[in-house]
Amino acid sequence: MQNWNHAVTVFSQTPLLDTIRTPDDLRRLKVEQVRQVADELRQETIDAVSVTGGHFGAGLGVVELTTAIHYVFDTPRDRLIWDVGHQAYPHKILTGRRDRIRTLRTGGGLSGFTKRSESDYDPFGAAHSSTSISAGLGMAVARDLSGGKNNVIAVIGDGAMSAGMAYEAMNNAGAMNSRLIVILNDNDMSIAPPVGAMSAYLSRLYSGKTYRTLREAAKQINKRLPKVFANRANRVEEYSRGFMMDGGTLFEELGFYYVGPIDGHNLDHLLPVLKNVRDMETGPILVHVVTQKGKGYPPAEASADKYHAVVKFDIATGTQAKAKPNAPAYQNVFGQSLVKEAEKDDRIVGITAAMPSGTGIDIFNKAFPDRTFDVGIAEQHAVTFAAGLATEGYKPFCAIYSTFLQRGYDQVVHDVAIQSLPVRFAIDRAGLVGADGATHAGSFDNAYLGCLPNMVIMAASDEAELVHMVATQVAINDRPSALRYPRGEGRGVEMPEVGIPLEIGKGRIIRQGSKIALLSLGTRLAECEKAADELAAHGLSTTVADARFMKPLDVELVMKLARDHEILITIEEGSVGGFGSHVLQTLTDNGALDNGALRVRAMILPDVFLDHDTPAAMYARAGLDAKSIVKKVFEALGRDFKTETVKLA
């Protein structure tokens, strides 16, 4: 029998991209090859995110811009800062991480955002928005103090310019005159009119050395003219630039040299402008680039949110492979509950800071568009805006992720708590959040809110409790309140038709035992019940209690558990300084620890920032799953967990 060897040739869809390991390789290519690199980079981004899921539309919109920046600038010596970081997937592919790009947002894999520890090409970690200009200015000043010559480039966009911090930084940068390049990626704000050939030509002209030299010469001449003529000449130049460039007036007033708008997908326009800007010797400079979110992938271009964030999807159709939920998502339960309450009370209003779908406020908006306010990426403003509404008798629900509410903490203290205004905080993404990792984990709100006088703090243990707690917040009219709940699906419990306000500061016993007491705040209650089952198999009678309220704490419940059990363990999805600390303070204040009979342990998130993984894996690593609770009980009893588990088996 004859054997035939068939030679199979595999043709790569990204032949030019395959030759690029780092931007140094990109910069060795001819300028006419850059277009092909960008096209292949877009294809690779689409293919990678179809496998991993993650932020999508913003990255597709900056493919040409990413390629052009790395081609023109000497990264990483030139510092490139991506605001928010979720637009940086193409950047990661070009900067030595292509071989790991399909590990995005998975345990041990690449972060979904920029991260200093991940690459020298990520000089500043970013997952919250609007920080790039401040960080870039700091780097530029450090360079100047050190006598360096490198460039610093901050790319800001995707709504990040709606935050006050960006303007604070620009105001400071304009006054300092340090050489900083800010690229405004305008993909959804419609600052500029449609861009075209004339705009591109003018941008090249304004950024070019000839125009800048003539402009500087004119300034010197103006100094020697009588004041009336000098002022008139300055106004002519200013108005002509303002007329031709439209959106640049604001940035010029802040002290930036404005260039744009230019088409962010046209490399023939981008490359010469970026080269001109690179070679400028003064600053700061703002380059206004107009891009299309989701560019180059028709399903994303046609989608209302431009596929801002996706799960795994089919490339051919764009269909996302969402698993069929077993229970409603917490944010949807919140939104639906708020609608029901608002149907009975026309003083209820909903507020979000650029996260309507993430918080469930989009559901409220569909029912009550006139009573819904999306203030943009401006958490500080959102909190004080809500406080103002509260002073006039309205019932504002300020729905903000735990991690983002950190940005409005001063306002929570000074504008809400001190005045005891009934602002209702709906704190989504409480606890660990999985693929978004440490930057988005709701780890600290128990601690940072629990220390404030006049604050009521609740945590829902399941989706039914969430319904009742929304009703409870509606009923609280004399002080602020906070309701925390996690990302993801509920437990699948039976849902109430309507929410019934809970008694403030009262918890509940879920199951009664005699030796071990597990006191839970939040959705770790399900793990406590699993742990109680396992402890029962070891002959340990266990009480499981749901605190419901962290503040005011149910002192009567805490003292009863302390009196009637040998071991009391608190469990929460939060850092040190939260629920466990409040329980321990209560026990010491009431002398419950004086005789040494009671052994108390507080189970909290570990004192580290946990990297991204699945939520289940993260909670296991944090030591807050059922197995860890059982192990903690055995440690408190002075018994060996492994030995007893083997005996039982």
Side-chain angles (χ1 to χ4, degrees):
M1 184 176 179
Q2 191 172 8
N3 291 321
W4 295 92
N5 292 320
H6 295 278
V8 179
T9 303
V10 178
F11 294 99
S12 171
Q13 292 186 322
T14 56
L16 201 49
L17 186 63
D18 293 345
T19 68
I20 297 171
R21 173 67 182 172
T22 70
D24 284 335
D25 301 321
L26 172 65
R27 289 189 281 268
R28 282 192 281 267
L29 298 178
K30 296 177 181 178
V31 69
E32 54 267 25
Q33 293 177 290
V34 177
R35 175 74 261 173
Q36 183 180 338
V37 173
D39 292 340
E40 293 179 11
L41 180 58
R42 175 169 281 107
Q43 182 57 46
E44 177 69 354
T45 301
I46 293 169
D47 189 73
V49 181
S50 75
V51 174
T52 65
H55 293 99
F56 188 49
L60 290 185
V62 295
V63 165
E64 287 83 6
L65 180 60
T66 303
T67 309
I69 290 172
H70 282 298
Y71 187 74
V72 169
F73 291 94
D74 184 20
T75 54
R77 193 182 72 86
D78 286 341
R79 310 291 192 241
L80 173 58
I81 307 156
W82 292 96
D83 208 286
V84 183
H86 65 228
Q87 56 187 329
Y89 295 2
H91 159 79
K92 294 194 178 202
I93 293 169
L94 285 180
T95 54
R97 287 168 277 183
R98 185 185 180 189
D99 59 344
R100 293 181 289 153
I101 198 67
R102 286 162 183 78
T103 69
L104 269 169
R105 296 161 53 86
T106 60
L110 294 178
S111 169
F113 307 98
T114 52
K115 193 173 184 179
R116 279 174 55 82
S117 61
E118 192 177 283
S119 172
D120 290 340
Y121 290 91
D122 293 358
F124 200 77
H128 287 193
S129 83
S130 316
T131 59
S132 62
I133 303 175
S134 298
L137 181 58
M139 292 178 191
V141 169
R143 172 205 62 209
D144 296 343
L145 291 172
S146 302
K149 297 295 183 183
N150 62 293
N151 292 287
V152 179
I153 310 103
V155 183
I156 185 168
D158 202 30
M161 285 296 286
S162 65
M165 184 176 177
Y167 295 96
E168 292 173 23
M170 292 185 74
N171 183 57
N172 189 202
M176 294 182 71
N177 204 37
S178 191
R179 193 168 55 82
L180 169 69
I181 299 166
V182 174
I183 298 176
L184 171 59
N185 171 29
D186 178 9
N187 64 8
D188 59 1
M189 292 183 291
S190 300
I191 291 175
V195 297
M198 178 58 75
S199 173
Y201 168 73
L202 289 169
S203 296
R204 287 198 296 273
L205 174 66
Y206 292 140
S207 62
K209 188 171 183 179
T210 302
Y211 176 84
R212 287 183 282 112
T213 302
L214 289 172
R215 189 187 192 211
E216 193 58 38
K219 285 182 179 179
Q220 297 303 318
I221 293 170
N222 281 354
K223 289 178 182 178
R224 292 167 173 78
L225 290 173
K227 190 172 183 180
V228 63
F229 293 115
N231 288 343
R232 190 168 297 169
N234 283 334
R235 283 199 298 272
V236 169
E237 200 266 354
E238 177 185 335
Y239 290 144
S240 66
R241 278 171 52 78
F243 174 75
M244 297 307 294
M245 297 182 301
D246 190 47
T249 305
L250 169 64
F251 303 115
E252 292 269 345
E253 291 295 327
L254 286 169
F256 276 71
Y257 187 91
Y258 176 89
V259 177
I262 57 176
D263 183 349
H265 302 296
N266 190 324
L267 287 164
D268 292 335
H269 295 176
L270 270 178
L271 290 170
V273 169
L274 291 180
K275 287 177 182 176
N276 285 339
V277 167
R278 178 196 64 192
D279 297 335
M280 286 185 181
E281 296 179 357
T282 58
I285 307 122
L286 185 133
V287 183
H288 183 177
V289 176
V290 178
T291 64
Q292 180 184 358
K293 197 169 181 177
K295 175 72 173 178
Y297 185 59
E301 292 178 0
S303 170
D305 70 348
K306 308 302 179 188
Y307 279 36
H308 174 75
V310 295
V311 294
K312 298 177 183 180
F313 64 92
D314 178 78
I315 294 177
T317 64
T319 303
Q320 298 186 50
K322 291 185 177 179
K324 187 176 181 180
N326 297 313
Y330 278 99
Q331 76 245 30
N332 293 340
V333 173
F334 166 73
Q336 292 157 3
S337 299
L338 193 59
V339 167
K340 287 185 178 180
E341 296 295 334
E343 288 170 348
K344 300 180 289 184
D345 190 337
D346 61 10
R347 293 172 299 168
I348 291 173
V349 297
I351 301 165
T352 184
M355 296 300 292
S357 60
T359 58
I361 287 292
D362 60 332
I363 297 172
F364 185 81
N365 181 55
K366 288 175 183 175
F368 301 104
D370 294 338
R371 289 154 64 181
T372 305
F373 305 94
D374 184 346
V375 303
I377 303 174
E379 292 83 3
Q380 293 173 291
H381 164 61
V383 172
T384 305
F385 172 58
L389 280 159
T391 65
E392 297 296 325
Y394 278 82
K395 297 184 176 183
F397 276 78
C398 199
I400 301 177
Y401 289 6
S402 170
T403 180
F404 296 149
L405 187 58
Q406 293 162 188
R407 299 171 66 127
Y409 186 60
D410 181 69
Q411 288 67 34
V412 174
V413 177
H414 283 262
D415 299 338
V416 177
I418 286 178
Q419 302 187 93
S420 200
L421 290 171
V423 173
R424 294 134 177 103
F425 294 102
I427 303 177
D428 203 327
R429 272 42 172 193
L432 302 176
V433 294
D436 282 335
T439 57
H440 284 58
S443 306
F444 309 114
D445 57 275
N446 281 343
Y448 71 66
L449 294 178
C451 60
L452 300 180
N454 301 326
M455 184 72 69
V456 175
I457 302 172
M458 297 172 275
S461 57
D462 59 42
E463 61 270 40
E465 283 286 288
L466 179 57
V467 175
H468 296 310
M469 288 181 177
V470 171
T472 306
Q473 283 192 293
V474 172
I476 298 173
N477 290 308
D478 60 345
R479 51 192 154 160
S481 59
L483 164 57
R484 72 190 314 258
Y485 48 93
R487 178 181 188 174
E489 299 171 5
R491 296 178 61 183
V493 300
E494 185 177 347
M495 296 291 284
E497 283 295 320
V498 293
I500 300 172
L502 304 174
E503 183 179 354
I504 303 295
K506 287 296 178 184
R508 57 176 179 155
I509 300 290
I510 302 299
R511 60 197 287 178
Q512 186 66 56
S514 58
K515 189 176 182 69
I516 313 297
L518 304 178
L519 178 57
S520 173
L521 179 75
T523 56
R524 291 292 93 190
L525 184 67
E527 294 298 305
C528 288
E529 292 184 77
K530 292 178 188 176
D533 289 337
E534 188 171 341
L535 290 168
H538 287 278
L540 297 171
S541 178
T542 303
T543 295
V544 177
D546 177 11
R548 280 180 164 164
F549 293 85
M550 175 176 147
K551 192 171 188 179
L553 188 62
D554 190 340
V555 176
E556 183 180 340
L557 173 62
V558 169
M559 294 307 296
K560 176 176 173 55
L561 295 175
R563 285 193 306 268
D564 297 346
H565 301 82
E566 293 179 28
I567 306 289
L568 171 58
I569 296 179
T570 66
I571 302 97
E572 65 184 298
E573 297 151 321
S575 70
V576 65
F579 175 63
S581 299
H582 283 247
V583 171
L584 286 165
Q585 185 71 45
T586 296
L587 291 171
T588 57
D589 287 348
N590 289 275
L593 304 179
D594 292 354
N595 60 16
L598 177 67
R599 280 167 279 183
V600 184
R601 303 289 186 272
M603 298 185 70
I604 60 173
L605 291 175
D607 195 28
V608 296
F609 291 106
L610 291 169
D611 283 335
H612 52 280
D613 206 329
T614 64
M618 293 181 77
Y619 276 116
R621 200 176 347 141
L624 288 176
D625 58 355
K627 181 180 179 181
S628 301
I629 295 169
V630 173
K631 186 177 180 181
K632 182 67 71 174
V633 169
F634 276 96
E635 288 175 0
L637 289 170
R639 290 159 59 172
D640 185 75
F641 172 68
K642 288 184 179 179
T643 303
E644 301 245 1
T645 304
V646 170
K647 283 182 182 177
L648 186 66

